[in-house]
Amino acid sequence: MGNRPDESRRVPPGIDPTTPSIARVYDYFLGGKDNFEADRKVAEEALKIAPDAREAGRANRAFLRRAVRHMAAEAGIRQFLDLGSGLPTQGNVHEIAQAVAPDARIVYVDNDPVVLAHGRALLETNDVTKVVPGDVRNPAEILENPEVAEFLDFSRPLGMLFVSVLHHVNDDEDPDGAMARFRSVLAPGSHLAIVHFHNPGDEHPEAARIAVEAERNFNQNLGTGRWRTRTEILSYFGDLELIKPGLVPLADWRSAPDDLIRQDLTRHNVVAGVGRRL
Ligand code: SAM
C-alpha cells in the first residue's frame, strides 16, 4: 500500500494525518480506507512483530459480534454503551443488536475526531443510535453527559463494551478508578465485555516476547499500548461474575463455525471476557 494520490482530499478539517491514531491503524488492519501513511507505517511495524495482527483484528470483531448477540438475544439487553467504538466497519454494534431487537438503543463513544466525523455520518442512521464524544479516562464526562444519561436508562440492564480500548489507557491514567466508576452504573442483569492485550508471561514465552516488542512499538509510535497480565485484566471486572468460558483468547469465547479465524501466533496476546452483574 503506497501513497494514495487523492489522500490529501480525504483529510477531514482539523485532522493531522501525519500523527498516527490507533483508530486508523486498526482500520488498516481490518482492510478499511480511513487511514493515512503515518498510520500504515505503525501498522506495518506491528505486522513485522506480530504477522497475524490482521487476523487478531478480525477475531476481535468476531468476538464483538458474538458478545453483543449473546447480550441481546440471550440476556435480553436492549441498551448498549460502546466505549472506544472505533471507525465504522462491518457488523457495527447497532446492526448486531438491532437485528435481534430493532428498538435496541446504542451509544457509541470515542475520543478520536475522525471516528466521530465518520461515525455521525455512518452510524447515526436511526433515532435509537447515537455517537457521542468522550474519553474513557474521564468516566464522569461520559456518564453525566445528558445525551448519554437521557438516552440510556441506568436503572435497567446495560451492555457495556470496552473492546480493545482499555489497553490504550496507561497505568498512570488510573484505569482501575475509571473502571470502578463505569461499573458503578451497572444495574443487575447488566453485562460488561472487555477485550484486552495480554502478556501471558512464562506460560507462553513466545507470546510474552511478542507482547514486550509490540508494547515498545505502540508506545514509541502511538504513545499508548499496555499488554497486561491476566490478574490486571480480571480486576477490571470487579465483582461482576464472568460468564462461561471466562477470560480466554478471543477465538475461544463461544466461537461459532462461521467465524473460525486462524490467529495462531498472537492467540495468547489478546484475551476477552464478559461479566454479568448479578
Ligand atoms: N472497539 C472497536 C473494536 O474493537 O473494533 C475499536 C477498537 S480500536 C483498536 C480502539 C478505539 O478506542 C479507537 O477508536 C480509539 O480512538 C479509541 N480510544 C482510544 N483511547 C480512548 C480514550 N481514552 N477514550 C475514548 N476512546 C479511546
Side-chain angles (χ1 to χ4, degrees):
M1 302 262 172
N3 273 323
R4 294 169 192 193
D6 64 343
E7 189 143 279
S8 61
R9 279 192 275 131
R10 296 190 298 112
V11 181
I15 303 298
D16 173 10
T18 62
T19 301
S21 107
I22 181 55
R24 302 189 311 246
V25 170
Y26 177 66
D27 174 72
Y28 177 73
F29 285 141
L30 289 179
K33 292 190 170 54
D34 297 312
N35 51 75
F36 305 117
E37 194 57 36
D39 308 307
R40 297 193 282 275
K41 243 177 104 182
V42 178
E44 289 298 340
E45 188 64 31
L47 283 166
K48 283 186 208 148
I49 297 163
D52 64 356
R54 284 197 181 89
E55 285 73 20
R58 284 173 39 224
N60 182 59
R61 292 303 300 185
F63 163 80
L64 176 75
R65 223 170 21 242
R66 298 194 299 272
V68 171
R69 204 178 291 144
H70 169 83
M71 292 183 199
E74 289 167 54
I77 289 179
R78 293 291 175 265
Q79 46 175 5
F80 294 83
L81 182 57
D82 184 6
L83 297 139
S85 50
L87 283 155
T89 178
Q90 278 190 345
N92 299 297
V93 172
H94 73 285
E95 291 158 342
I96 306 160
Q98 289 165 4
V100 176
D103 61 339
R105 292 179 163 242
I106 323 294
V107 177
Y108 293 106
V109 178
D110 208 287
N111 69 345
D112 184 309
V114 178
V115 170
L116 297 166
H118 287 277
R120 290 221 164 91
L122 293 171
L123 301 176
E124 281 188 335
T125 49
N126 57 46
D127 59 6
V128 278
T129 305
K130 251 187 198 311
V131 178
V132 172
D135 191 311
V136 299
R137 294 168 297 186
N138 187 351
E141 171 204 47
I142 296 170
L143 297 169
E144 291 163 22
N145 178 338
E147 276 204 274
V148 177
E150 285 163 20
F151 193 70
L152 301 176
D153 178 354
F154 290 129
S155 71
R156 299 180 62 78
L158 176 74
M160 187 179 269
L161 310 167
F162 282 90
V163 179
S164 290
V165 58
L166 274 177
H167 44 237
H168 297 297
V169 178
N170 291 324
D171 293 350
D172 61 3
E173 294 173 323
D174 193 19
D176 295 315
M179 286 311 289
R181 178 72 179 91
F182 279 113
R183 286 194 310 269
S184 75
V185 301
L186 295 177
S190 295
H191 285 52
L192 168 66
I194 296 177
V195 175
H196 203 296
F197 288 158
H198 179 226
N199 184 336
D202 294 343
E203 219 172 298
H204 296 283
E206 178 58 10
R209 189 194 59 76
I210 290 174
V212 171
E213 271 293 286
E215 188 166 288
R216 183 198 47 76
N217 174 39
F218 267 46
N219 279 287
Q220 270 175 11
N221 294 307
L222 286 167
T224 67
R226 282 283 287 111
W227 273 250
R228 292 194 165 98
T229 64
R230 181 176 177 81
T231 307
E232 286 173 313
I233 301 165
L234 280 173
S235 74
Y236 298 140
F237 290 97
D239 61 354
L240 270 64
E241 178 193 78
L242 278 177
I243 67 171
K244 284 191 174 129
L247 185 68
V248 292
L250 283 174
D252 296 344
W253 201 91
R254 302 186 183 208
S255 42
D258 62 341
D259 54 32
L260 280 180
I261 293 161
R262 282 194 74 84
Q263 184 207 350
D264 295 329
L265 192 59
T266 59
R267 183 179 181 80
H268 296 284
N269 283 127
V270 197
V271 290
V274 175
R276 177 176 53 183
R277 165 82 70 215
L278 294 178

mmCIF file of all heavy atoms in Angstrom, residues 29-47:
data_model
loop_
_atom_site.group_PDB
_atom_site.id
_atom_site.type_symbol
_atom_site.label_atom_id
_atom_site.label_comp_id
_atom_site.label_asym_id
_atom_site.label_seq_id
_atom_site.Cartn_x
_atom_site.Cartn_y
_atom_site.Cartn_z
ATOM 1 N N PHE A 29 -5.643 -2.505 9.658
ATOM 2 C CA PHE A 29 -5.610 -3.960 9.888
ATOM 3 C C PHE A 29 -6.879 -4.631 9.376
ATOM 4 O O PHE A 29 -6.853 -5.757 8.904
ATOM 5 C CB PHE A 29 -5.481 -4.279 11.383
ATOM 6 C CG PHE A 29 -4.103 -4.059 11.953
ATOM 7 C CD1 PHE A 29 -3.933 -3.527 13.219
ATOM 8 C CD2 PHE A 29 -2.969 -4.402 11.223
ATOM 9 C CE1 PHE A 29 -2.675 -3.329 13.748
ATOM 10 C CE2 PHE A 29 -1.699 -4.207 11.746
ATOM 11 C CZ PHE A 29 -1.558 -3.667 13.005
ATOM 12 N N LEU A 30 -7.997 -3.920 9.506
ATOM 13 C CA LEU A 30 -9.283 -4.514 9.104
ATOM 14 C C LEU A 30 -9.555 -4.354 7.600
ATOM 15 O O LEU A 30 -10.604 -4.745 7.126
ATOM 16 C CB LEU A 30 -10.430 -3.873 9.895
ATOM 17 C CG LEU A 30 -10.520 -4.218 11.383
ATOM 18 C CD1 LEU A 30 -11.689 -3.477 12.024
ATOM 19 C CD2 LEU A 30 -10.673 -5.715 11.615
ATOM 20 N N GLY A 31 -8.605 -3.729 6.890
ATOM 21 C CA GLY A 31 -8.790 -3.562 5.444
ATOM 22 C C GLY A 31 -9.606 -2.327 5.092
ATOM 23 O O GLY A 31 -10.115 -2.220 3.968
ATOM 24 N N GLY A 32 -9.743 -1.377 6.043
ATOM 25 C CA GLY A 32 -10.521 -0.160 5.777
ATOM 26 C C GLY A 32 -9.727 0.877 4.990
ATOM 27 O O GLY A 32 -8.538 0.698 4.714
ATOM 28 N N LYS A 33 -10.399 1.985 4.628
ATOM 29 C CA LYS A 33 -9.766 3.017 3.795
ATOM 30 C C LYS A 33 -9.544 4.317 4.559
ATOM 31 O O LYS A 33 -9.033 5.286 4.007
ATOM 32 C CB LYS A 33 -10.654 3.310 2.582
ATOM 33 C CG LYS A 33 -10.723 2.140 1.612
ATOM 34 C CD LYS A 33 -11.412 2.570 0.315
ATOM 35 C CE LYS A 33 -11.297 1.525 -0.774
ATOM 36 N NZ LYS A 33 -11.760 0.199 -0.370
ATOM 37 N N ASP A 34 -9.949 4.343 5.842
ATOM 38 C CA ASP A 34 -9.844 5.589 6.608
ATOM 39 C C ASP A 34 -8.523 5.663 7.360
ATOM 40 O O ASP A 34 -8.498 5.788 8.589
ATOM 41 C CB ASP A 34 -11.025 5.699 7.579
ATOM 42 C CG ASP A 34 -12.343 5.770 6.835
ATOM 43 O OD1 ASP A 34 -12.427 6.568 5.878
ATOM 44 O OD2 ASP A 34 -13.259 5.017 7.180
ATOM 45 N N ASN A 35 -7.419 5.539 6.614
ATOM 46 C CA ASN A 35 -6.110 5.609 7.272
ATOM 47 C C ASN A 35 -5.131 6.317 6.353
ATOM 48 O O ASN A 35 -5.338 6.398 5.145
ATOM 49 C CB ASN A 35 -5.616 4.199 7.619
ATOM 50 C CG ASN A 35 -5.685 3.260 6.427
ATOM 51 O OD1 ASN A 35 -4.873 3.340 5.511
ATOM 52 N ND2 ASN A 35 -6.681 2.386 6.409
ATOM 53 N N PHE A 36 -4.060 6.855 6.961
ATOM 54 C CA PHE A 36 -3.071 7.633 6.223
ATOM 55 C C PHE A 36 -1.702 6.954 6.324
ATOM 56 O O PHE A 36 -1.520 6.001 7.090
ATOM 57 C CB PHE A 36 -3.017 9.060 6.764
ATOM 58 C CG PHE A 36 -4.361 9.739 6.766
ATOM 59 C CD1 PHE A 36 -4.959 10.135 7.940
ATOM 60 C CD2 PHE A 36 -5.040 9.955 5.565
ATOM 61 C CE1 PHE A 36 -6.213 10.737 7.945
ATOM 62 C CE2 PHE A 36 -6.289 10.560 5.560
ATOM 63 C CZ PHE A 36 -6.875 10.953 6.751
ATOM 64 N N GLU A 37 -0.748 7.516 5.579
ATOM 65 C CA GLU A 37 0.592 6.929 5.509
ATOM 66 C C GLU A 37 1.191 6.694 6.910
ATOM 67 O O GLU A 37 1.771 5.631 7.185
ATOM 68 C CB GLU A 37 1.489 7.878 4.692
ATOM 69 C CG GLU A 37 2.808 7.282 4.243
ATOM 70 C CD GLU A 37 2.658 6.012 3.401
ATOM 71 O OE1 GLU A 37 1.700 5.922 2.613
ATOM 72 O OE2 GLU A 37 3.494 5.105 3.558
ATOM 73 N N ALA A 38 1.040 7.675 7.812
ATOM 74 C CA ALA A 38 1.628 7.548 9.161
ATOM 75 C C ALA A 38 1.015 6.369 9.920
ATOM 76 O O ALA A 38 1.707 5.669 10.663
ATOM 77 C CB ALA A 38 1.396 8.847 9.946
ATOM 78 N N ASP A 39 -0.290 6.142 9.711
ATOM 79 C CA ASP A 39 -0.961 5.017 10.379
ATOM 80 C C ASP A 39 -0.460 3.694 9.816
ATOM 81 O O ASP A 39 -0.194 2.745 10.549
ATOM 82 C CB ASP A 39 -2.479 5.101 10.169
ATOM 83 C CG ASP A 39 -3.036 6.455 10.558
ATOM 84 O OD1 ASP A 39 -2.770 6.881 11.684
ATOM 85 O OD2 ASP A 39 -3.705 7.089 9.715
ATOM 86 N N ARG A 40 -0.311 3.661 8.486
ATOM 87 C CA ARG A 40 0.105 2.413 7.835
ATOM 88 C C ARG A 40 1.525 2.040 8.234
ATOM 89 O O ARG A 40 1.859 0.865 8.347
ATOM 90 C CB ARG A 40 -0.036 2.545 6.311
ATOM 91 C CG ARG A 40 -1.488 2.753 5.882
ATOM 92 C CD ARG A 40 -1.685 2.582 4.396
ATOM 93 N NE ARG A 40 -1.262 3.711 3.595
ATOM 94 C CZ ARG A 40 -2.000 4.793 3.332
ATOM 95 N NH1 ARG A 40 -3.205 4.907 3.840
ATOM 96 N NH2 ARG A 40 -1.532 5.771 2.575
ATOM 97 N N LYS A 41 2.368 3.069 8.506
ATOM 98 C CA LYS A 41 3.746 2.792 8.939
ATOM 99 C C LYS A 41 3.753 2.063 10.282
ATOM 100 O O LYS A 41 4.469 1.070 10.459
ATOM 101 C CB LYS A 41 4.519 4.121 9.066
ATOM 102 C CG LYS A 41 5.684 4.211 8.110
ATOM 103 C CD LYS A 41 6.358 5.540 8.203
ATOM 104 C CE LYS A 41 7.665 5.432 8.960
ATOM 105 N NZ LYS A 41 8.331 6.711 9.107
ATOM 106 N N VAL A 42 2.944 2.541 11.214
ATOM 107 C CA VAL A 42 2.873 1.893 12.532
ATOM 108 C C VAL A 42 2.313 0.473 12.383
ATOM 109 O O VAL A 42 2.799 -0.488 12.988
ATOM 110 C CB VAL A 42 1.973 2.697 13.503
ATOM 111 C CG1 VAL A 42 1.860 2.005 14.843
ATOM 112 C CG2 VAL A 42 2.515 4.107 13.683
ATOM 113 N N ALA A 43 1.297 0.352 11.537
ATOM 114 C CA ALA A 43 0.664 -0.961 11.343
ATOM 115 C C ALA A 43 1.662 -1.946 10.724
ATOM 116 O O ALA A 43 1.741 -3.107 11.144
ATOM 117 C CB ALA A 43 -0.567 -0.826 10.460
ATOM 118 N N GLU A 44 2.436 -1.478 9.739
ATOM 119 C CA GLU A 44 3.402 -2.372 9.084
ATOM 120 C C GLU A 44 4.469 -2.807 10.086
ATOM 121 O O GLU A 44 4.919 -3.954 10.071
ATOM 122 C CB GLU A 44 4.039 -1.693 7.867
ATOM 123 C CG GLU A 44 3.100 -1.527 6.674
ATOM 124 C CD GLU A 44 2.582 -2.860 6.100
ATOM 125 O OE1 GLU A 44 3.195 -3.905 6.352
ATOM 126 O OE2 GLU A 44 1.531 -2.825 5.422
ATOM 127 N N GLU A 45 4.873 -1.901 10.964
ATOM 128 C CA GLU A 45 5.841 -2.239 12.009
ATOM 129 C C GLU A 45 5.236 -3.299 12.945
ATOM 130 O O GLU A 45 5.897 -4.276 13.308
ATOM 131 C CB GLU A 45 6.184 -0.949 12.791
ATOM 132 C CG GLU A 45 7.311 -1.058 13.780
ATOM 133 C CD GLU A 45 8.666 -1.357 13.137
ATOM 134 O OE1 GLU A 45 8.895 -0.924 11.992
ATOM 135 O OE2 GLU A 45 9.470 -2.050 13.806
ATOM 136 N N ALA A 46 3.976 -3.112 13.281
ATOM 137 C CA ALA A 46 3.296 -4.085 14.155
ATOM 138 C C ALA A 46 3.212 -5.450 13.471
ATOM 139 O O ALA A 46 3.354 -6.493 14.110
ATOM 140 C CB ALA A 46 1.898 -3.581 14.513
ATOM 141 N N LEU A 47 3.009 -5.431 12.146
ATOM 142 C CA LEU A 47 2.902 -6.702 11.414
ATOM 143 C C LEU A 47 4.235 -7.450 11.377
ATOM 144 O O LEU A 47 4.265 -8.674 11.301
ATOM 145 C CB LEU A 47 2.400 -6.453 9.985
ATOM 146 C CG LEU A 47 0.898 -6.189 9.869
ATOM 147 C CD1 LEU A 47 0.544 -5.613 8.501
ATOM 148 C CD2 LEU A 47 0.103 -7.475 10.105
#
